[in-house]
Amino acid sequence: METRWDFSEKAGRIFESMFLLMFILSISTISSSVADADNLLDEMTLNAQDKASLLLFRSQVRDPNQRLLWVGSGCANWTGVGCSRWNGRVLALNLTGFNLSGQLHSSLCNLSSLETLNLSRNNLSGSIPPCFSSFWNLKTLDLSYNMFSGVVPDTLMKLSRLTHLDFSHNMFDEMLPYWIGNFSLKLQKLEMGYNSFQGEIPEGLLHLKSLKFLDLSHNNLSGNLPDFRQSLEHLNLESNSLIVLDLSYNQLSGYLPKKILESSEKSGLIVLDLSHNQFSGDIPLGFTELKSLQALFLSHNLLTGEIPSRIGNLTYLQVIDLSHNSLSGSIPLNFIGCFQLLALILNNNNLSGEIQPELDALDILKILDVSNNKISGQIPLTLAGCKSLEVVDLSYNNLSGPLNDALTKWSNLRYLSLAHNKFNGPLASWIFMFEGIQTIDLSGNTFSGNILMVFLIPANLSSLGNLTHLNLSFNYFSGIVNKTKGYWRFSGAFAGNPNLCVETSGSGDGCQLKARPVEPERAFEEGEIKKWADFGMGVFG
C-alpha cells in the first residue's frame, strides 16, 4: 500500500510540473505575439492621403536644417509625425523649433484626424489657412513664435474640441476675434500675447467657464475690463492700453505685481483695483510712476511698510483706498501733490503721527477716512481750507484737544465721526448747524458741559430733517435732555454720561449722580457697510 501511494504522489507531481511548463510556454507565445503585433503597428503604413499632404506641405516650406527627411512608408521614419496604430492616419504633427520658413500650404488641412498641431518656434509667415476648420478632432493648436499675420479666420470657430490655443509671439494686428471666448467649451489655455491685437477684450471670454490660463499681454487692447466670471489660475494683461484693470476679490498673493509698472507711460492705466486679495510686502515705489492713474484701490490686503513718499507724483489721482492693511508711518505730506484728490481712505492701518496742516491744499477733497489708526495731535485749524468735505471719519485714534472752528467751514458735511479719541472740552452749538448732516458720532471721548448749551442755535433736533444717527454716549455731558424736542429719535445717543438725564415724560425727572459706566467692547464686523460708499460714491464714476 505504501508503494502504491508513493507512486501516485510522484505521478501527481509530474503532472503538475508538465501543466506549469505548458502554461509558461503559452504565456511566452502570447507575449511574443503581442510584441510582434507592436512591431507591426510601429511599422504601420502611413495613410496614403496624409502622406501626400505632408509631402506637399514640405515642398512649400524652406527647411535649411533638413529636419524633414521623411522617407519610407512607416510612421516611425517620419520625424515629428505621430500616427494611429489602427489606420495610419496622422494624429499629431510636432515640428517645433525646426527653423522652417515660408507659408502654410492648404494641403495641411487634409490631415483631418489631427489632434495636435504644433508649429511653434519657426519662421513661418503669411496668414492662417481658413481650411484649418477641417481639424474636427484638434485639441492643441500651437503656432507661437512665428511671423503669422492678417486676420485670424473665423472658421476656427468650428474647432469645438480645442483645449489649448497659442498664437502668441506673432504679428497679428487686427481686432481680437469676437468669437474667441465661446467657440470651444473645453478651452483651458489661451495665449495671444506679444502681437498687436486691437480693440476690447471680447465679452464672451469673460464667461468661458473652462478657461484656466489666459495671456493677452503685449498687445494694443483698450477699453474697460469687466469682471472675469471664471476661476482663472493665470492671467497676464501687461503692456496693453486698458483703462481699467480690476483684479479685486480673488485669492492673489505674494508681492504687488511690478509687471504693471512696465510701459506705464503708454499703458494709459486709469483705474487699478487689486483690493480684497492677499498681497503682502511694501507698496512698490514704482506705483507712483503710473502717471495717468485716477483711482488706486489696494484695500483689504496684507500690505506693510510706509505709504510711498512720492505719492504726490500721481497728479491725476482722484480716489485712493489703502484701508484694511498693516501700513505704518505717517500720512505723507506729499499727498498735497494729488491736487485733484476727491477721496483719501486710509482707515484700519497702523498709521501714526499727526494730521499735517498743509493738507488744507486738498481743497476739493470730499472723503477723508483715517479711522482705526494711531494718529495723535489736534485737528489743524488750517483744515478749514478743505471746504468740500462731505464724509469725515477720524474715529478710533489718539486725537485730542477741543474742537476748533475749522469744522464750521465744512458746510457740505453729511457724515462726521470723531468717536473714541481723547477730545475734550465743551461742544459748540455749531456742531448741529450742518444742514445736510446725516450722521454725528462723538461717542467715547471726554466732552463735557451742559447739554442745553449745545442745543441753543437749533432749538430742537427736529429741524435737522436729514439727521438719522446721533451718538453722544460715553462722555461727561450734564443737564437734562427734553424728549419733547425730538431727541427721542436717537435711542441710546446719550448713554454713559453720568451727569446727564433724559426725560421720560417731558416733565423733568432729575438725575442721580453716578460714576461713568464702562463702555462695552466695540462690535466690529469685517463686512461693515462703508460709510464713504453710502455717502460719497458720487465722487468717482
Side-chain angles (χ1 to χ4, degrees):
M1 292 295 292
E2 293 181 0
T3 303
R4 290 183 180 178
W5 182 260
D6 291 341
F7 176 78
S8 299
E9 184 178 1
K10 290 179 180 179
R13 291 177 177 173
I14 292 173
F15 177 78
E16 290 177 358
S17 299
M18 292 178 63
F19 178 79
L20 181 59
L21 179 61
M22 292 176 64
F23 178 76
I24 293 174
L25 290 174
S26 299
I27 292 296
S28 177
T29 301
I30 293 173
S31 299
S32 178
S33 300
V34 170
D36 291 342
D38 283 343
N39 291 333
L40 289 174
L41 287 173
D42 285 341
E43 295 299 323
M44 172 65 73
T45 301
L46 182 64
N47 177 274
Q49 179 181 344
D50 288 357
K51 178 180 180 180
S53 299
L54 288 172
L55 291 176
L56 187 53
F57 161 76
R58 184 181 67 177
S59 69
Q60 298 297 315
V61 297
R62 290 180 287 278
D63 179 19
N65 297 337
Q66 296 186 343
R67 299 287 300 277
L68 303 181
L69 295 178
W70 291 335
V71 293
S73 58
C75 286
N77 295 325
W78 289 59
T79 305
V81 178
C83 301
S84 168
R85 292 184 172 186
W86 308 111
N87 57 16
R89 296 300 305 270
V90 175
L91 301 181
L93 183 61
N94 188 347
L95 306 180
T96 182
F98 276 35
N99 199 25
L100 305 177
S101 60
Q103 299 187 9
L104 297 181
H105 195 273
S106 59
S107 64
L108 203 60
C109 301
N110 294 327
L111 305 176
S112 57
S113 295
L114 268 182
E115 296 181 1
T116 299
L117 176 59
N118 190 342
L119 302 178
S120 64
R121 299 185 183 276
N122 285 290
N123 296 305
L124 298 170
S125 59
S127 59
I128 300 174
C131 62
F132 268 28
S133 59
S134 62
F135 299 141
W136 295 99
N137 297 313
L138 200 64
K139 298 178 181 177
T140 298
L141 177 57
D142 190 346
L143 304 182
S144 61
Y145 290 91
N146 280 287
M147 294 184 290
F148 290 113
S149 60
V151 179
V152 178
D154 57 10
T155 54
L156 296 186
M157 284 191 290
K158 297 181 180 179
L159 305 181
S160 59
R161 298 184 179 181
L162 208 63
T163 62
H164 181 191
L165 176 61
D166 191 347
F167 285 172
S168 64
H169 295 268
N170 277 286
M171 302 173 67
F172 295 108
D173 58 0
E174 301 291 330
M175 300 286 286
L176 196 64
Y178 70 92
W179 47 263
I180 201 67
N182 53 16
F183 74 101
S184 172
L185 298 179
K186 298 181 179 180
L187 191 65
Q188 298 181 22
K189 194 170 186 179
L190 177 62
E191 301 181 70
M192 309 285 277
Y194 287 89
N195 283 283
S196 297
F197 283 115
Q198 303 177 31
E200 297 186 1
I201 296 177
E203 180 71 19
L205 191 58
L206 308 173
H207 299 273
L208 186 57
K209 297 297 184 182
S210 59
L211 195 63
K212 300 296 181 184
F213 186 107
L214 177 61
D215 188 346
L216 301 177
S217 63
H218 295 271
N219 282 291
N220 293 320
L221 301 177
S222 59
N224 294 328
L225 182 62
D227 294 338
F228 285 92
R229 303 298 182 183
Q230 60 274 81
S231 300
L232 290 174
E233 297 174 1
H234 177 93
L235 175 64
N236 191 348
L237 301 174
E238 66 175 290
S239 296
N240 277 287
S241 299
L242 300 172
I243 297 172
V244 177
L245 178 58
D246 185 352
L247 301 178
S248 60
Y249 290 92
N250 284 288
Q251 298 180 13
L252 304 175
S253 60
Y255 296 124
L256 289 173
K258 294 184 179 180
K259 289 283 188 179
I260 295 174
L261 310 178
E262 296 180 5
S263 305
S264 60
E265 287 293 336
K266 73 173 184 178
S267 70
L269 193 65
I270 294 177
V271 177
L272 176 59
D273 191 347
L274 302 178
S275 65
H276 294 269
N277 282 290
Q278 299 172 24
F279 289 115
S280 58
D282 296 345
I283 299 175
L285 188 61
F287 270 48
T288 63
E289 302 302 321
L290 296 173
K291 301 293 187 180
S292 301
L293 207 60
Q294 296 182 25
L296 176 62
F297 301 97
L298 300 178
S299 67
H300 292 84
N301 279 289
L302 306 172
L303 300 176
T304 55
E306 299 186 0
I307 300 172
S309 59
R310 297 209 304 243
I311 195 72
N313 289 358
L314 303 178
T315 55
Y316 292 102
L317 196 65
Q318 298 181 34
V319 178
I320 182 168
D321 185 356
L322 307 180
S323 64
H324 292 271
N325 282 287
S326 297
L327 298 172
S328 58
S330 59
I331 300 174
L333 180 59
N334 197 251
F335 261 124
I336 63 176
C338 306
F339 57 89
Q340 300 189 48
L341 200 61
L342 300 175
L344 178 58
I345 304 166
L346 306 175
N347 59 288
N348 290 85
N349 279 288
N350 293 318
L351 299 175
S352 58
E354 298 185 358
I355 299 176
Q356 300 296 323
E358 290 83 357
L359 290 181
D360 68 328
L362 302 177
D363 55 357
I364 64 170
L365 190 68
K366 291 187 176 184
I367 299 174
L368 174 62
D369 187 351
V370 295
S371 60
N372 287 276
N373 281 287
K374 300 175 182 177
I375 298 172
S376 57
Q378 300 187 20
I379 299 176
L381 276 169
T382 56
L383 285 195
C386 299
K387 294 177 290 188
S388 299
L389 280 172
E390 298 181 18
V391 177
V392 176
D393 193 343
L394 308 179
S395 62
Y396 290 88
N397 279 289
N398 296 317
L399 293 166
S400 60
L403 296 186
N404 57 56
D405 291 344
L407 279 66
T408 63
K409 304 299 183 182
W410 302 343
S411 57
N412 298 318
L413 202 61
R414 292 188 284 164
Y415 181 103
L416 174 65
S417 180
L418 306 178
H420 295 270
N421 279 284
K422 299 176 182 178
F423 291 113
N424 55 37
L427 284 184
S429 57
W430 51 253
I431 199 70
F432 295 104
M433 291 181 58
F434 304 106
E435 293 182 0
I437 196 72
Q438 299 176 31
T439 294
I440 298 177
D441 190 348
L442 307 179
S443 63
N445 284 284
T446 57
F447 289 117
S448 59
N450 193 309
I451 201 71
L452 292 178
M453 300 302 295
V454 179
F455 295 142
L456 289 177
I457 297 188
N460 65 66
L461 294 181
S462 300
S463 61
L464 295 179
N466 294 318
L467 188 64
T468 57
H469 181 78
L470 173 66
N471 193 349
L472 303 178
S473 64
F474 294 93
N475 281 285
Y476 290 95
F477 293 116
S478 60
I480 299 175
V481 177
N482 189 327
K483 294 196 69 173
T484 61
K485 298 295 186 180
Y487 309 137
W488 57 268
R489 291 192 290 134
F490 309 106
S491 177
F494 305 98
N497 287 275
N499 298 326
L500 190 64
C501 180
V502 180
E503 288 186 349
T504 59
S505 62
S507 59
D509 294 338
C511 293
Q512 294 182 353
L513 299 181
K514 53 186 177 180
R516 171 170 158 166
V518 177
E519 185 175 4
E521 292 290 330
R522 183 188 185 198
F524 177 79
E525 297 181 1
E526 180 68 20
E528 65 177 354
I529 297 176
K530 288 291 186 185
K531 56 270 178 184
W532 52 264
D534 292 340
F535 288 91
M537 283 316 290
V539 302
F540 186 83

